[in-house]
Short mmCIF file of all heavy atoms in Angstrom, two decimals:
data_model
loop_
_atom_site.label_atom_id
_atom_site.label_comp_id
_atom_site.label_asym_id
_atom_site.label_seq_id
_atom_site.Cartn_x
_atom_site.Cartn_y
_atom_site.Cartn_z
N PHE F 26 216.24 37.37 -198.56
CA PHE F 26 216.85 36.20 -198.10
C PHE F 26 218.29 36.02 -198.90
O PHE F 26 219.32 35.75 -198.31
CB PHE F 26 215.98 34.96 -198.30
CG PHE F 26 216.60 33.62 -198.02
CD1 PHE F 26 216.84 33.26 -196.78
CD2 PHE F 26 217.20 32.89 -199.05
CE1 PHE F 26 217.38 31.97 -196.49
CE2 PHE F 26 217.95 31.71 -198.75
CZ PHE F 26 217.96 31.23 -197.42
N VAL F 42 240.80 33.82 -199.35
CA VAL F 42 241.61 33.53 -200.58
C VAL F 42 242.37 34.78 -200.93
O VAL F 42 243.56 34.78 -201.20
CB VAL F 42 240.68 33.04 -201.70
CG1 VAL F 42 241.52 32.87 -203.01
CG2 VAL F 42 240.22 31.70 -201.28
N LEU F 78 266.48 52.84 -220.66
CA LEU F 78 267.88 53.18 -220.70
C LEU F 78 268.71 51.99 -220.22
O LEU F 78 268.78 51.65 -219.09
CB LEU F 78 268.18 54.42 -219.81
CG LEU F 78 267.29 55.62 -220.12
CD1 LEU F 78 267.70 56.73 -219.01
CD2 LEU F 78 267.83 56.23 -221.43
N TYR F 98 256.01 34.68 -217.43
CA TYR F 98 255.09 35.81 -217.61
C TYR F 98 255.78 37.14 -217.88
O TYR F 98 255.14 38.07 -218.25
CB TYR F 98 254.27 36.01 -216.33
CG TYR F 98 254.99 36.20 -215.14
CD1 TYR F 98 255.64 37.53 -214.83
CD2 TYR F 98 255.31 35.17 -214.20
CE1 TYR F 98 256.42 37.73 -213.68
CE2 TYR F 98 256.06 35.37 -213.07
CZ TYR F 98 256.54 36.67 -212.81
OH TYR F 98 257.40 36.79 -211.67
N THR F 102 262.03 43.91 -222.75
CA THR F 102 262.35 44.36 -224.00
C THR F 102 263.07 45.78 -223.92
O THR F 102 263.09 46.44 -222.94
CB THR F 102 261.05 44.63 -224.92
OG1 THR F 102 261.44 45.14 -226.17
CG2 THR F 102 260.05 45.60 -224.21
N PRO F 129 261.00 59.47 -222.03
CA PRO F 129 259.84 59.57 -222.97
C PRO F 129 259.19 60.73 -223.05
O PRO F 129 259.01 61.50 -222.02
CB PRO F 129 258.94 58.34 -222.50
CG PRO F 129 259.87 57.50 -221.70
CD PRO F 129 260.83 58.36 -221.08
N HIS F 136 248.28 53.23 -216.49
CA HIS F 136 248.58 52.05 -215.59
C HIS F 136 250.10 51.90 -215.48
O HIS F 136 250.63 51.08 -214.74
CB HIS F 136 248.00 50.83 -216.20
CG HIS F 136 248.72 50.43 -217.54
ND1 HIS F 136 248.50 51.11 -218.69
CD2 HIS F 136 249.73 49.53 -217.80
CE1 HIS F 136 249.26 50.53 -219.60
NE2 HIS F 136 249.99 49.61 -219.08
N ASP F 157 262.16 64.46 -209.06
CA ASP F 157 260.93 64.36 -208.15
C ASP F 157 259.76 64.25 -209.05
O ASP F 157 259.76 64.73 -210.29
CB ASP F 157 260.75 65.58 -207.23
CG ASP F 157 261.78 65.46 -206.11
OD1 ASP F 157 262.32 64.33 -205.88
OD2 ASP F 157 262.10 66.49 -205.44
N GLY F 177 274.77 40.76 -203.43
CA GLY F 177 275.03 39.47 -203.19
C GLY F 177 274.22 39.00 -202.08
O GLY F 177 273.53 39.83 -201.39
N LEU F 190 290.34 25.65 -197.10
CA LEU F 190 290.94 26.96 -197.41
C LEU F 190 291.78 26.78 -198.48
O LEU F 190 292.63 26.00 -198.74
CB LEU F 190 291.74 27.32 -196.12
CG LEU F 190 292.32 28.65 -195.98
CD1 LEU F 190 291.19 29.65 -195.65
CD2 LEU F 190 293.36 28.72 -194.92
N LYS F 195 299.67 35.55 -199.40
CA LYS F 195 299.77 36.91 -199.13
C LYS F 195 298.99 37.19 -197.78
O LYS F 195 298.07 36.42 -197.56
CB LYS F 195 299.22 37.78 -200.25
CG LYS F 195 299.99 37.68 -201.54
CD LYS F 195 299.37 38.51 -202.59
CE LYS F 195 299.55 37.86 -203.93
NZ LYS F 195 298.98 36.57 -204.17
N LEU F 196 299.37 38.15 -197.09
CA LEU F 196 298.63 38.50 -195.78
C LEU F 196 297.34 39.29 -196.08
O LEU F 196 296.24 38.85 -195.99
CB LEU F 196 299.50 39.21 -194.81
CG LEU F 196 298.89 39.48 -193.48
CD1 LEU F 196 298.41 38.11 -192.84
CD2 LEU F 196 299.87 40.18 -192.55
N HIS F 220 301.68 49.83 -190.46
CA HIS F 220 301.77 48.87 -189.33
C HIS F 220 301.75 47.41 -189.92
O HIS F 220 302.02 46.57 -189.05
CB HIS F 220 300.66 49.03 -188.33
CG HIS F 220 300.56 50.36 -187.81
ND1 HIS F 220 301.53 50.94 -186.87
CD2 HIS F 220 299.67 51.35 -188.11
CE1 HIS F 220 301.18 52.19 -186.70
NE2 HIS F 220 300.11 52.53 -187.38
N GLU F 317 296.22 29.88 -186.45
CA GLU F 317 295.42 29.12 -187.35
C GLU F 317 293.99 28.88 -186.88
O GLU F 317 293.04 29.12 -187.53
CB GLU F 317 296.03 27.84 -187.72
CG GLU F 317 295.34 26.94 -188.76
CD GLU F 317 295.71 27.41 -190.23
OE1 GLU F 317 296.49 28.29 -190.48
OE2 GLU F 317 295.08 26.78 -191.16
N ARG F 322 288.19 30.28 -187.52
CA ARG F 322 286.78 30.60 -187.00
C ARG F 322 286.04 31.47 -187.93
O ARG F 322 284.94 31.53 -187.85
CB ARG F 322 286.92 31.23 -185.63
CG ARG F 322 287.13 30.28 -184.59
CD ARG F 322 287.07 30.99 -183.16
NE ARG F 322 287.75 30.15 -182.18
CZ ARG F 322 287.98 30.40 -181.02
NH1 ARG F 322 287.80 31.72 -180.57
NH2 ARG F 322 288.59 29.59 -180.11
#
Side-chain angles (χ1 to χ4, degrees):
F26 172 83
V42 174
L78 300 174
Y98 57 77
T102 178
H136 71 281
D157 286 341
L190 189 72
K195 299 178 209 60
L196 186 55
H220 308 285
E317 181 84 1
R322 281 187 194 166

